[in-house]
Amino acid sequence: MKDGRPSVLGFLSCLLFLGALCFYSARFGSAAVDTIPEIRAKGRSAIGQEVALTSDVKVVRLLDNGFIARQGGAQMEVTISDEVESQWNAAKHGLAVGDFVSLRAVCKQTGLLEAREFHVHKGRRLKIWVSIAALLAAAAILFVQFRKGKYA
Amino acid sequence: MPDLVTHVIAGYGLQRGFRLTPWFLIGAILPDILTRPFTIVWPGSFWWTMPLHTPVGLTLFCAAIAFLHRPGIRASVFLNLGAGAFLHVVLDLFQAHLAGSYYLFFPFSWHSVEIDLIWPETSLYLLPLWAVIGLWLAVKHFRQRMKAEG
């Protein structure tokens, strides 16, 4: 590669390493984080397993002692265990359909989780919209800066 | 992640304060741009995109972008982009998650790390503060520009 020109070889090498890392992560990623579609796909073999779901789990229906959660197009019922019942009683009045939650739970039967720990991410939807607005603002700032020739 | 407003204001403030290049601001939002759209739309992609939110993955990505530039500015692009991404990772560390925090030592360890100080959405309470700082930076910028133009 001649001096003064972009290094396509360097660029491709980095992307190749990055691709290898992503593959390694997807293949051997720790089971510390699960998704509802993964748990559903395991079927009966998931029963008795502890699972952890991140903040992309959405509440789609409220029940007396729990809720129906959806993630990635799949749904599961979540019931509340005795150990978090007081937390649930405090949180359920503010909980609404469409809210995002994260959970630590045990799979009791196919399609049913028992929550051992949970957090309601009130404001996550606002956070997503605010972040999109911030992204547009950053794009505008960068457009002005690059147009002025502040390149490197 | 704290909301992107936090990352943009912190990145823009430091960029102007230390006279860094626009690549620093890009770096400050880079980890979320590379990962969050995918994990929000397709949660199953978490482990595929996770390396793009780690120091090693970000270093490789910043190097890849730097290699697209001529050698004279390559180091500047890499350092600014990398420093911005480093700022992003540091700000993210203050959060708490029930699951799936930050794998700082990937691919050498699957141990996840965070300081557990605030829930991810708590940063929204700081929005008025960021709005005031953003406004102050904008006013300062326009004043300097008016001064420079005579």
PDB file of all heavy atoms in Angstrom, chain B residues 16-50:
ATOM      1  N   ARG B  16     -15.235  20.487  22.696  1.00  0.00           N
ATOM      2  CA  ARG B  16     -15.008  21.936  22.588  1.00  0.00           C
ATOM      3  C   ARG B  16     -13.999  22.407  23.637  1.00  0.00           C
ATOM      4  O   ARG B  16     -13.137  23.235  23.350  1.00  0.00           O
ATOM      5  CB  ARG B  16     -16.327  22.696  22.734  1.00  0.00           C
ATOM      6  CG  ARG B  16     -17.266  22.458  21.563  1.00  0.00           C
ATOM      7  CD  ARG B  16     -18.329  23.517  21.493  1.00  0.00           C
ATOM      8  NE  ARG B  16     -17.764  24.834  21.277  1.00  0.00           N
ATOM      9  CZ  ARG B  16     -17.363  25.298  20.093  1.00  0.00           C
ATOM     10  NH1 ARG B  16     -17.457  24.540  19.023  1.00  0.00           N
ATOM     11  NH2 ARG B  16     -16.878  26.513  19.972  1.00  0.00           N
ATOM     12  N   GLY B  17     -14.121  21.850  24.850  1.00  0.00           N
ATOM     13  CA  GLY B  17     -13.225  22.268  25.929  1.00  0.00           C
ATOM     14  C   GLY B  17     -11.763  21.966  25.639  1.00  0.00           C
ATOM     15  O   GLY B  17     -10.881  22.768  25.957  1.00  0.00           O
ATOM     16  N   PHE B  18     -11.504  20.825  25.069  1.00  0.00           N
ATOM     17  CA  PHE B  18     -10.120  20.420  24.793  1.00  0.00           C
ATOM     18  C   PHE B  18      -9.748  20.560  23.313  1.00  0.00           C
ATOM     19  O   PHE B  18      -8.716  20.049  22.885  1.00  0.00           O
ATOM     20  CB  PHE B  18      -9.898  18.973  25.254  1.00  0.00           C
ATOM     21  CG  PHE B  18      -9.941  18.808  26.748  1.00  0.00           C
ATOM     22  CD1 PHE B  18     -11.101  18.424  27.395  1.00  0.00           C
ATOM     23  CD2 PHE B  18      -8.813  19.079  27.521  1.00  0.00           C
ATOM     24  CE1 PHE B  18     -11.156  18.296  28.773  1.00  0.00           C
ATOM     25  CE2 PHE B  18      -8.852  18.954  28.898  1.00  0.00           C
ATOM     26  CZ  PHE B  18     -10.024  18.563  29.531  1.00  0.00           C
ATOM     27  N   ARG B  19     -10.586  21.236  22.557  1.00  0.00           N
ATOM     28  CA  ARG B  19     -10.360  21.455  21.118  1.00  0.00           C
ATOM     29  C   ARG B  19     -10.058  20.157  20.380  1.00  0.00           C
ATOM     30  O   ARG B  19      -9.068  20.043  19.642  1.00  0.00           O
ATOM     31  CB  ARG B  19      -9.223  22.474  20.910  1.00  0.00           C
ATOM     32  CG  ARG B  19      -9.565  23.835  21.463  1.00  0.00           C
ATOM     33  CD  ARG B  19      -8.426  24.813  21.290  1.00  0.00           C
ATOM     34  NE  ARG B  19      -8.717  26.077  21.914  1.00  0.00           N
ATOM     35  CZ  ARG B  19      -9.445  27.051  21.365  1.00  0.00           C
ATOM     36  NH1 ARG B  19      -9.947  26.886  20.167  1.00  0.00           N
ATOM     37  NH2 ARG B  19      -9.660  28.176  22.008  1.00  0.00           N
ATOM     38  N   LEU B  20     -10.899  19.156  20.618  1.00  0.00           N
ATOM     39  CA  LEU B  20     -10.723  17.869  19.948  1.00  0.00           C
ATOM     40  C   LEU B  20     -11.469  17.893  18.607  1.00  0.00           C
ATOM     41  O   LEU B  20     -12.225  18.825  18.329  1.00  0.00           O
ATOM     42  CB  LEU B  20     -11.254  16.745  20.844  1.00  0.00           C
ATOM     43  CG  LEU B  20     -10.584  16.666  22.219  1.00  0.00           C
ATOM     44  CD1 LEU B  20     -11.343  15.734  23.151  1.00  0.00           C
ATOM     45  CD2 LEU B  20      -9.136  16.194  22.082  1.00  0.00           C
ATOM     46  N   THR B  21     -11.260  16.853  17.814  1.00  0.00           N
ATOM     47  CA  THR B  21     -11.885  16.839  16.485  1.00  0.00           C
ATOM     48  C   THR B  21     -13.301  16.248  16.582  1.00  0.00           C
ATOM     49  O   THR B  21     -13.664  15.627  17.585  1.00  0.00           O
ATOM     50  CB  THR B  21     -11.057  15.979  15.506  1.00  0.00           C
ATOM     51  OG1 THR B  21     -11.238  14.605  15.840  1.00  0.00           O
ATOM     52  CG2 THR B  21      -9.583  16.341  15.548  1.00  0.00           C
ATOM     53  N   PRO B  22     -14.096  16.401  15.520  1.00  0.00           N
ATOM     54  CA  PRO B  22     -15.453  15.822  15.544  1.00  0.00           C
ATOM     55  C   PRO B  22     -15.454  14.312  15.760  1.00  0.00           C
ATOM     56  O   PRO B  22     -16.459  13.756  16.200  1.00  0.00           O
ATOM     57  CB  PRO B  22     -15.995  16.152  14.148  1.00  0.00           C
ATOM     58  CG  PRO B  22     -15.208  17.326  13.691  1.00  0.00           C
ATOM     59  CD  PRO B  22     -13.846  17.173  14.288  1.00  0.00           C
ATOM     60  N   TRP B  23     -14.347  13.664  15.488  1.00  0.00           N
ATOM     61  CA  TRP B  23     -14.285  12.210  15.684  1.00  0.00           C
ATOM     62  C   TRP B  23     -14.485  11.847  17.154  1.00  0.00           C
ATOM     63  O   TRP B  23     -14.953  10.753  17.469  1.00  0.00           O
ATOM     64  CB  TRP B  23     -12.948  11.643  15.174  1.00  0.00           C
ATOM     65  CG  TRP B  23     -12.886  11.686  13.691  1.00  0.00           C
ATOM     66  CD1 TRP B  23     -12.159  12.562  12.924  1.00  0.00           C
ATOM     67  CD2 TRP B  23     -13.599  10.850  12.763  1.00  0.00           C
ATOM     68  NE1 TRP B  23     -12.383  12.329  11.597  1.00  0.00           N
ATOM     69  CE2 TRP B  23     -13.260  11.286  11.473  1.00  0.00           C
ATOM     70  CE3 TRP B  23     -14.499   9.808  12.901  1.00  0.00           C
ATOM     71  CZ2 TRP B  23     -13.789  10.692  10.330  1.00  0.00           C
ATOM     72  CZ3 TRP B  23     -15.027   9.213  11.771  1.00  0.00           C
ATOM     73  CH2 TRP B  23     -14.670   9.655  10.502  1.00  0.00           C
ATOM     74  N   PHE B  24     -14.123  12.759  18.048  1.00  0.00           N
ATOM     75  CA  PHE B  24     -14.322  12.492  19.479  1.00  0.00           C
ATOM     76  C   PHE B  24     -15.812  12.374  19.793  1.00  0.00           C
ATOM     77  O   PHE B  24     -16.239  11.464  20.517  1.00  0.00           O
ATOM     78  CB  PHE B  24     -13.687  13.619  20.309  1.00  0.00           C
ATOM     79  CG  PHE B  24     -13.814  13.400  21.792  1.00  0.00           C
ATOM     80  CD1 PHE B  24     -12.925  12.571  22.467  1.00  0.00           C
ATOM     81  CD2 PHE B  24     -14.833  14.002  22.516  1.00  0.00           C
ATOM     82  CE1 PHE B  24     -13.053  12.349  23.831  1.00  0.00           C
ATOM     83  CE2 PHE B  24     -14.962  13.797  23.877  1.00  0.00           C
ATOM     84  CZ  PHE B  24     -14.066  12.963  24.539  1.00  0.00           C
ATOM     85  N   LEU B  25     -16.601  13.299  19.213  1.00  0.00           N
ATOM     86  CA  LEU B  25     -18.049  13.264  19.444  1.00  0.00           C
ATOM     87  C   LEU B  25     -18.647  11.993  18.839  1.00  0.00           C
ATOM     88  O   LEU B  25     -19.520  11.354  19.444  1.00  0.00           O
ATOM     89  CB  LEU B  25     -18.706  14.519  18.851  1.00  0.00           C
ATOM     90  CG  LEU B  25     -20.217  14.637  18.982  1.00  0.00           C
ATOM     91  CD1 LEU B  25     -20.681  14.507  20.425  1.00  0.00           C
ATOM     92  CD2 LEU B  25     -20.705  15.950  18.393  1.00  0.00           C
ATOM     93  N   ILE B  26     -18.156  11.608  17.669  1.00  0.00           N
ATOM     94  CA  ILE B  26     -18.652  10.364  17.050  1.00  0.00           C
ATOM     95  C   ILE B  26     -18.326   9.183  17.971  1.00  0.00           C
ATOM     96  O   ILE B  26     -19.169   8.317  18.224  1.00  0.00           O
ATOM     97  CB  ILE B  26     -18.038  10.151  15.644  1.00  0.00           C
ATOM     98  CG1 ILE B  26     -18.500  11.257  14.700  1.00  0.00           C
ATOM     99  CG2 ILE B  26     -18.416   8.774  15.086  1.00  0.00           C
ATOM    100  CD1 ILE B  26     -17.897  11.210  13.316  1.00  0.00           C
ATOM    101  N   GLY B  27     -17.102   9.178  18.500  1.00  0.00           N
ATOM    102  CA  GLY B  27     -16.696   8.102  19.409  1.00  0.00           C
ATOM    103  C   GLY B  27     -17.573   8.039  20.648  1.00  0.00           C
ATOM    104  O   GLY B  27     -17.901   6.963  21.146  1.00  0.00           O
ATOM    105  N   ALA B  28     -17.994   9.218  21.126  1.00  0.00           N
ATOM    106  CA  ALA B  28     -18.798   9.282  22.363  1.00  0.00           C
ATOM    107  C   ALA B  28     -20.175   8.639  22.204  1.00  0.00           C
ATOM    108  O   ALA B  28     -20.802   8.269  23.191  1.00  0.00           O
ATOM    109  CB  ALA B  28     -18.943  10.731  22.810  1.00  0.00           C
ATOM    110  N   ILE B  29     -20.658   8.533  20.958  1.00  0.00           N
ATOM    111  CA  ILE B  29     -21.972   7.890  20.754  1.00  0.00           C
ATOM    112  C   ILE B  29     -21.835   6.556  20.020  1.00  0.00           C
ATOM    113  O   ILE B  29     -22.810   5.813  19.889  1.00  0.00           O
ATOM    114  CB  ILE B  29     -22.956   8.827  19.990  1.00  0.00           C
ATOM    115  CG1 ILE B  29     -22.362   9.296  18.663  1.00  0.00           C
ATOM    116  CG2 ILE B  29     -23.323  10.007  20.839  1.00  0.00           C
ATOM    117  CD1 ILE B  29     -23.325  10.141  17.833  1.00  0.00           C
ATOM    118  N   LEU B  30     -20.625   6.262  19.583  1.00  0.00           N
ATOM    119  CA  LEU B  30     -20.386   5.075  18.739  1.00  0.00           C
ATOM    120  C   LEU B  30     -20.873   3.745  19.336  1.00  0.00           C
ATOM    121  O   LEU B  30     -21.588   2.996  18.650  1.00  0.00           O
ATOM    122  CB  LEU B  30     -18.888   4.993  18.412  1.00  0.00           C
ATOM    123  CG  LEU B  30     -18.467   3.959  17.383  1.00  0.00           C
ATOM    124  CD1 LEU B  30     -19.015   4.316  16.010  1.00  0.00           C
ATOM    125  CD2 LEU B  30     -16.949   3.870  17.319  1.00  0.00           C
ATOM    126  N   PRO B  31     -20.538   3.414  20.606  1.00  0.00           N
ATOM    127  CA  PRO B  31     -20.914   2.091  21.116  1.00  0.00           C
ATOM    128  C   PRO B  31     -22.427   1.836  21.057  1.00  0.00           C
ATOM    129  O   PRO B  31     -22.854   0.734  20.724  1.00  0.00           O
ATOM    130  CB  PRO B  31     -20.420   2.106  22.570  1.00  0.00           C
ATOM    131  CG  PRO B  31     -19.297   3.098  22.557  1.00  0.00           C
ATOM    132  CD  PRO B  31     -19.738   4.159  21.601  1.00  0.00           C
ATOM    133  N   ASP B  32     -23.220   2.857  21.349  1.00  0.00           N
ATOM    134  CA  ASP B  32     -24.678   2.664  21.311  1.00  0.00           C
ATOM    135  C   ASP B  32     -25.192   2.566  19.880  1.00  0.00           C
ATOM    136  O   ASP B  32     -26.122   1.802  19.597  1.00  0.00           O
ATOM    137  CB  ASP B  32     -25.387   3.816  22.037  1.00  0.00           C
ATOM    138  CG  ASP B  32     -25.315   3.642  23.542  1.00  0.00           C
ATOM    139  OD1 ASP B  32     -24.872   2.564  23.988  1.00  0.00           O
ATOM    140  OD2 ASP B  32     -25.675   4.577  24.266  1.00  0.00           O
ATOM    141  N   ILE B  33     -24.603   3.346  18.975  1.00  0.00           N
ATOM    142  CA  ILE B  33     -25.056   3.296  17.582  1.00  0.00           C
ATOM    143  C   ILE B  33     -24.772   1.922  16.966  1.00  0.00           C
ATOM    144  O   ILE B  33     -25.550   1.404  16.170  1.00  0.00           O
ATOM    145  CB  ILE B  33     -24.354   4.407  16.763  1.00  0.00           C
ATOM    146  CG1 ILE B  33     -24.902   5.760  17.200  1.00  0.00           C
ATOM    147  CG2 ILE B  33     -24.581   4.210  15.268  1.00  0.00           C
ATOM    148  CD1 ILE B  33     -24.193   6.913  16.582  1.00  0.00           C
ATOM    149  N   LEU B  34     -23.661   1.328  17.384  1.00  0.00           N
ATOM    150  CA  LEU B  34     -23.280   0.031  16.822  1.00  0.00           C
ATOM    151  C   LEU B  34     -24.093  -1.128  17.392  1.00  0.00           C
ATOM    152  O   LEU B  34     -24.149  -2.196  16.786  1.00  0.00           O
ATOM    153  CB  LEU B  34     -21.787  -0.247  17.095  1.00  0.00           C
ATOM    154  CG  LEU B  34     -20.780   0.643  16.382  1.00  0.00           C
ATOM    155  CD1 LEU B  34     -19.368   0.306  16.838  1.00  0.00           C
ATOM    156  CD2 LEU B  34     -20.895   0.485  14.877  1.00  0.00           C
ATOM    157  N   THR B  35     -24.696  -0.927  18.574  1.00  0.00           N
ATOM    158  CA  THR B  35     -25.338  -2.075  19.225  1.00  0.00           C
ATOM    159  C   THR B  35     -26.839  -1.898  19.488  1.00  0.00           C
ATOM    160  O   THR B  35     -27.616  -2.810  19.217  1.00  0.00           O
ATOM    161  CB  THR B  35     -24.661  -2.367  20.584  1.00  0.00           C
ATOM    162  OG1 THR B  35     -24.734  -1.195  21.396  1.00  0.00           O
ATOM    163  CG2 THR B  35     -23.209  -2.762  20.409  1.00  0.00           C
ATOM    164  N   ARG B  36     -27.249  -0.763  20.043  1.00  0.00           N
ATOM    165  CA  ARG B  36     -28.620  -0.637  20.561  1.00  0.00           C
ATOM    166  C   ARG B  36     -29.732  -0.806  19.523  1.00  0.00           C
ATOM    167  O   ARG B  36     -30.737  -1.460  19.822  1.00  0.00           O
ATOM    168  CB  ARG B  36     -28.811   0.694  21.320  1.00  0.00           C
ATOM    169  CG  ARG B  36     -27.950   0.807  22.552  1.00  0.00           C
ATOM    170  CD  ARG B  36     -28.107  -0.375  23.492  1.00  0.00           C
ATOM    171  NE  ARG B  36     -27.182  -0.293  24.598  1.00  0.00           N
ATOM    172  CZ  ARG B  36     -26.471  -1.316  25.043  1.00  0.00           C
ATOM    173  NH1 ARG B  36     -26.565  -2.510  24.474  1.00  0.00           N
ATOM    174  NH2 ARG B  36     -25.645  -1.175  26.051  1.00  0.00           N
ATOM    175  N   PRO B  37     -29.587  -0.222  18.314  1.00  0.00           N
ATOM    176  CA  PRO B  37     -30.686  -0.434  17.356  1.00  0.00           C
ATOM    177  C   PRO B  37     -30.954  -1.916  17.130  1.00  0.00           C
ATOM    178  O   PRO B  37     -32.105  -2.338  17.021  1.00  0.00           O
ATOM    179  CB  PRO B  37     -30.173   0.241  16.081  1.00  0.00           C
ATOM    180  CG  PRO B  37     -29.186   1.244  16.554  1.00  0.00           C
ATOM    181  CD  PRO B  37     -28.537   0.629  17.756  1.00  0.00           C
ATOM    182  N   PHE B  38     -29.899  -2.715  17.105  1.00  0.00           N
ATOM    183  CA  PHE B  38     -30.068  -4.151  16.845  1.00  0.00           C
ATOM    184  C   PHE B  38     -30.709  -4.861  18.032  1.00  0.00           C
ATOM    185  O   PHE B  38     -31.595  -5.690  17.859  1.00  0.00           O
ATOM    186  CB  PHE B  38     -28.704  -4.787  16.528  1.00  0.00           C
ATOM    187  CG  PHE B  38     -28.055  -4.157  15.334  1.00  0.00           C
ATOM    188  CD1 PHE B  38     -27.009  -3.253  15.478  1.00  0.00           C
ATOM    189  CD2 PHE B  38     -28.510  -4.443  14.058  1.00  0.00           C
ATOM    190  CE1 PHE B  38     -26.438  -2.651  14.383  1.00  0.00           C
ATOM    191  CE2 PHE B  38     -27.942  -3.845  12.949  1.00  0.00           C
ATOM    192  CZ  PHE B  38     -26.901  -2.938  13.104  1.00  0.00           C
ATOM    193  N   THR B  39     -30.239  -4.541  19.262  1.00  0.00           N
ATOM    194  CA  THR B  39     -30.775  -5.265  20.424  1.00  0.00           C
ATOM    195  C   THR B  39     -32.212  -4.834  20.764  1.00  0.00           C
ATOM    196  O   THR B  39     -32.957  -5.617  21.327  1.00  0.00           O
ATOM    197  CB  THR B  39     -29.880  -5.092  21.663  1.00  0.00           C
ATOM    198  OG1 THR B  39     -29.621  -3.710  21.858  1.00  0.00           O
ATOM    199  CG2 THR B  39     -28.575  -5.838  21.519  1.00  0.00           C
ATOM    200  N   ILE B  40     -32.580  -3.602  20.411  1.00  0.00           N
ATOM    201  CA  ILE B  40     -33.961  -3.168  20.658  1.00  0.00           C
ATOM    202  C   ILE B  40     -34.913  -3.856  19.669  1.00  0.00           C
ATOM    203  O   ILE B  40     -35.949  -4.388  20.043  1.00  0.00           O
ATOM    204  CB  ILE B  40     -34.081  -1.622  20.576  1.00  0.00           C
ATOM    205  CG1 ILE B  40     -33.391  -0.976  21.787  1.00  0.00           C
ATOM    206  CG2 ILE B  40     -35.551  -1.190  20.513  1.00  0.00           C
ATOM    207  CD1 ILE B  40     -33.248   0.521  21.716  1.00  0.00           C
ATOM    208  N   VAL B  41     -34.512  -3.865  18.390  1.00  0.00           N
ATOM    209  CA  VAL B  41     -35.386  -4.461  17.364  1.00  0.00           C
ATOM    210  C   VAL B  41     -35.325  -5.994  17.399  1.00  0.00           C
ATOM    211  O   VAL B  41     -36.339  -6.666  17.247  1.00  0.00           O
ATOM    212  CB  VAL B  41     -34.981  -3.932  15.961  1.00  0.00           C
ATOM    213  CG1 VAL B  41     -35.780  -4.638  14.866  1.00  0.00           C
ATOM    214  CG2 VAL B  41     -35.204  -2.430  15.885  1.00  0.00           C
ATOM    215  N   TRP B  42     -34.125  -6.532  17.633  1.00  0.00           N
ATOM    216  CA  TRP B  42     -33.936  -7.988  17.606  1.00  0.00           C
ATOM    217  C   TRP B  42     -33.135  -8.396  18.849  1.00  0.00           C
ATOM    218  O   TRP B  42     -31.903  -8.489  18.795  1.00  0.00           O
ATOM    219  CB  TRP B  42     -33.200  -8.385  16.310  1.00  0.00           C
ATOM    220  CG  TRP B  42     -32.927  -9.831  16.183  1.00  0.00           C
ATOM    221  CD1 TRP B  42     -33.737 -10.861  16.545  1.00  0.00           C
ATOM    222  CD2 TRP B  42     -31.726 -10.430  15.644  1.00  0.00           C
ATOM    223  NE1 TRP B  42     -33.123 -12.062  16.277  1.00  0.00           N
ATOM    224  CE2 TRP B  42     -31.888 -11.832  15.711  1.00  0.00           C
ATOM    225  CE3 TRP B  42     -30.547  -9.921  15.106  1.00  0.00           C
ATOM    226  CZ2 TRP B  42     -30.927 -12.714  15.284  1.00  0.00           C
ATOM    227  CZ3 TRP B  42     -29.574 -10.801  14.661  1.00  0.00           C
ATOM    228  CH2 TRP B  42     -29.770 -12.181  14.750  1.00  0.00           C
ATOM    229  N   PRO B  43     -33.829  -8.626  19.982  1.00  0.00           N
ATOM    230  CA  PRO B  43     -33.122  -8.910  21.240  1.00  0.00           C
ATOM    231  C   PRO B  43     -32.153 -10.094  21.146  1.00  0.00           C
ATOM    232  O   PRO B  43     -31.146 -10.139  21.836  1.00  0.00           O
ATOM    233  CB  PRO B  43     -34.252  -9.223  22.215  1.00  0.00           C
ATOM    234  CG  PRO B  43     -35.451  -8.561  21.654  1.00  0.00           C
ATOM    235  CD  PRO B  43     -35.288  -8.613  20.172  1.00  0.00           C
ATOM    236  N   GLY B  44     -32.450 -11.036  20.256  1.00  0.00           N
ATOM    237  CA  GLY B  44     -31.578 -12.206  20.107  1.00  0.00           C
ATOM    238  C   GLY B  44     -30.194 -11.873  19.587  1.00  0.00           C
ATOM    239  O   GLY B  44     -29.293 -12.722  19.601  1.00  0.00           O
ATOM    240  N   SER B  45     -30.001 -10.626  19.131  1.00  0.00           N
ATOM    241  CA  SER B  45     -28.686 -10.252  18.581  1.00  0.00           C
ATOM    242  C   SER B  45     -27.713  -9.793  19.677  1.00  0.00           C
ATOM    243  O   SER B  45     -26.585  -9.399  19.365  1.00  0.00           O
ATOM    244  CB  SER B  45     -28.846  -9.139  17.548  1.00  0.00           C
ATOM    245  OG  SER B  45     -29.271  -7.945  18.195  1.00  0.00           O
ATOM    246  N   PHE B  46     -28.142  -9.865  20.943  1.00  0.00           N
ATOM    247  CA  PHE B  46     -27.314  -9.329  22.036  1.00  0.00           C
ATOM    248  C   PHE B  46     -25.870  -9.822  21.976  1.00  0.00           C
ATOM    249  O   PHE B  46     -24.919  -9.037  22.001  1.00  0.00           O
ATOM    250  CB  PHE B  46     -27.929  -9.685  23.396  1.00  0.00           C
ATOM    251  CG  PHE B  46     -27.135  -9.180  24.568  1.00  0.00           C
ATOM    252  CD1 PHE B  46     -27.324  -7.900  25.049  1.00  0.00           C
ATOM    253  CD2 PHE B  46     -26.176  -9.976  25.179  1.00  0.00           C
ATOM    254  CE1 PHE B  46     -26.581  -7.419  26.131  1.00  0.00           C
ATOM    255  CE2 PHE B  46     -25.425  -9.510  26.256  1.00  0.00           C
ATOM    256  CZ  PHE B  46     -25.634  -8.234  26.731  1.00  0.00           C
ATOM    257  N   TRP B  47     -25.683 -11.142  21.871  1.00  0.00           N
ATOM    258  CA  TRP B  47     -24.319 -11.676  21.920  1.00  0.00           C
ATOM    259  C   TRP B  47     -23.543 -11.420  20.636  1.00  0.00           C
ATOM    260  O   TRP B  47     -22.309 -11.434  20.636  1.00  0.00           O
ATOM    261  CB  TRP B  47     -24.340 -13.173  22.254  1.00  0.00           C
ATOM    262  CG  TRP B  47     -24.789 -13.414  23.657  1.00  0.00           C
ATOM    263  CD1 TRP B  47     -25.961 -13.973  24.061  1.00  0.00           C
ATOM    264  CD2 TRP B  47     -24.091 -13.051  24.858  1.00  0.00           C
ATOM    265  NE1 TRP B  47     -26.042 -13.985  25.430  1.00  0.00           N
ATOM    266  CE2 TRP B  47     -24.916 -13.427  25.939  1.00  0.00           C
ATOM    267  CE3 TRP B  47     -22.858 -12.438  25.109  1.00  0.00           C
ATOM    268  CZ2 TRP B  47     -24.536 -13.222  27.264  1.00  0.00           C
ATOM    269  CZ3 TRP B  47     -22.484 -12.234  26.424  1.00  0.00           C
ATOM    270  CH2 TRP B  47     -23.314 -12.616  27.480  1.00  0.00           C
ATOM    271  N   TRP B  48     -24.259 -11.203  19.510  1.00  0.00           N
ATOM    272  CA  TRP B  48     -23.569 -10.872  18.260  1.00  0.00           C
ATOM    273  C   TRP B  48     -22.985  -9.459  18.318  1.00  0.00           C
ATOM    274  O   TRP B  48     -21.901  -9.206  17.804  1.00  0.00           O
ATOM    275  CB  TRP B  48     -24.536 -10.970  17.072  1.00  0.00           C
ATOM    276  CG  TRP B  48     -24.803 -12.364  16.639  1.00  0.00           C
ATOM    277  CD1 TRP B  48     -25.900 -13.125  16.934  1.00  0.00           C
ATOM    278  CD2 TRP B  48     -23.948 -13.190  15.834  1.00  0.00           C
ATOM    279  NE1 TRP B  48     -25.775 -14.364  16.372  1.00  0.00           N
ATOM    280  CE2 TRP B  48     -24.592 -14.437  15.684  1.00  0.00           C
ATOM    281  CE3 TRP B  48     -22.714 -12.998  15.227  1.00  0.00           C
ATOM    282  CZ2 TRP B  48     -24.048 -15.486  14.962  1.00  0.00           C
ATOM    283  CZ3 TRP B  48     -22.158 -14.040  14.496  1.00  0.00           C
ATOM    284  CH2 TRP B  48     -22.815 -15.270  14.374  1.00  0.00           C
ATOM    285  N   THR B  49     -23.739  -8.534  18.930  1.00  0.00           N
ATOM    286  CA  THR B  49     -23.286  -7.136  18.927  1.00  0.00           C
ATOM    287  C   THR B  49     -22.507  -6.765  20.189  1.00  0.00           C
ATOM    288  O   THR B  49     -21.851  -5.728  20.204  1.00  0.00           O
ATOM    289  CB  THR B  49     -24.493  -6.181  18.802  1.00  0.00           C
ATOM    290  OG1 THR B  49     -25.395  -6.443  19.876  1.00  0.00           O
ATOM    291  CG2 THR B  49     -25.209  -6.359  17.479  1.00  0.00           C
ATOM    292  N   MET B  50     -22.568  -7.628  21.219  1.00  0.00           N
ATOM    293  CA  MET B  50     -21.924  -7.305  22.494  1.00  0.00           C
ATOM    294  C   MET B  50     -20.454  -6.890  22.343  1.00  0.00           C
ATOM    295  O   MET B  50     -20.018  -5.922  22.977  1.00  0.00           O
ATOM    296  CB  MET B  50     -22.081  -8.492  23.454  1.00  0.00           C
ATOM    297  CG  MET B  50     -21.632  -8.253  24.874  1.00  0.00           C
ATOM    298  SD  MET B  50     -19.875  -8.374  25.090  1.00  0.00           S
ATOM    299  CE  MET B  50     -19.607 -10.119  24.920  1.00  0.00           C
TER     300      MET B  50
END
